[in-house]
Amino acid sequence: MKNKMHAIVKEKPEYGAVYKEVEIPEIGPEQILIQVKSTSICGSDFHIYKWNKWAQDNIEPPQIMGHEVAGDVIEVGSRVQKVKKGDFVSSETHIPCGHCYQCETGQEHICRNMKILGVHQDGVFAEYAVLEEVDVWKTDPSINKDFASIQEPLGNAIDTILPGEVAGKDVLITGAGPVGLIAIAVANTFGAANILVSEPNEYRRNLSYEMGADHVVNPIEVNLLEAVQDIFGNKGVDFTAEMSGHPDAIRDGIKAVTPGGIVSLLGLPDDKLSLDLTNDIIFKNIKVVGITGRKMFSTWHIANNLLKNEKINLSPVITHKMPLKDFEKGMKLMEEGNCGKIILKP
Ligand code: NAD
Ligand code: ZN
């Protein structure tokens, strides 16, 4: 095997990244080396590229970027048992410590000492990448490589929609970024009866229909609560999946839910925000659930099962595919917002 590979490296603590040749990494006893077949850009990669405050606080350049991946195992460490050479795999990105209270009680996805692939250690925007045995996910080889790479955000969407018990229900999804778009498909697969999507970006509003939304509105042009009233009447929706992080969407998403309903919050607001707890949550007796990461690995079993049995159509959300070396084009699309998931091919 050659000993050099191409990778996208966050080289300096400043805007941007470089495509360059680096050493192919060596693996430890509990690690796996994969040949990357497909990777995808996540919003957090864009934040690292742009070098925002969160990136400055978490990343120590130089470091290989990226965490959404599918690839073939080409080497396993001496203690690895979960996968073998030749297996088709993906990876969870939360790296749990294995010994905190959460890890010891089956909640590794919210480990108190969590490290993240591509944030606290080298990532997957490369020809080869190192995965941890605790994170590696053996993927059914029949699954399309690009879908396999977006299993991780699919998992976010599954964990956001599952608490909503959406079968036969009226659903509001605020924010149709890549994860919100995937959540529309998940809500459909799980049997939602009527899905309203709220999204300011026109490109993503159009994509929302392709993902299976029944109604789509622009919250800049229409009052979301009036739209909910028009479509669902006084009852409101049974469930809101908040996937934008925008304070207005969070507040209206909670207000739109019928008393006794459920809200999942996945979107991350930049700042603290105020809510009318008394009237909008407590007296309405609604359940508000915070969502982070994916359950390890019940969520992955669901994602794999849906994809393997073709019970979910993710084709429309993959809007762009390009060679790894053209990543700057992908970052520009992320900046403009006129994209769903962008696949990078080594
Ligand atoms: P994104 O930023 O691409 O998408 C957010 C979308 O919300 C955009 O399309 C934007 O146009 C839209 N939006 C903005 N204002 C809105 C409003 N007032 N009403 C409705 N929509 C509005 O992000 P993404 O990658 O799709 O992720 C969605 C959110 O989830 C982000 O906030 C992200 O940080 C967060 N996230 C959280 C987790 C977690 O584990 N909790 C994981 C992944 C992403
Ligand atoms: Zn832990």
Side-chain angles (χ1 to χ4, degrees), residues 300-313:
W300 288 84
H301 277 282
I302 296 170
N304 203 73
N305 233 354
L306 294 177
L307 289 171
K308 183 176 72 180
N309 294 296
E310 297 181 11
K311 295 288 182 190
I312 187 160
N313 180 17

Side-chain angles (χ1 to χ4, degrees), residues 156 175-179 198-200 204 219 243-244 246 249 266-268 291-293:
N156 283 134
V179 191
S198 170
E199 165 62 54
R204 291 175 170 177
M243 324 287 283
S244 77
H246 194 286
L266 178 95
L268 305 172
I291 307 294
T292 188

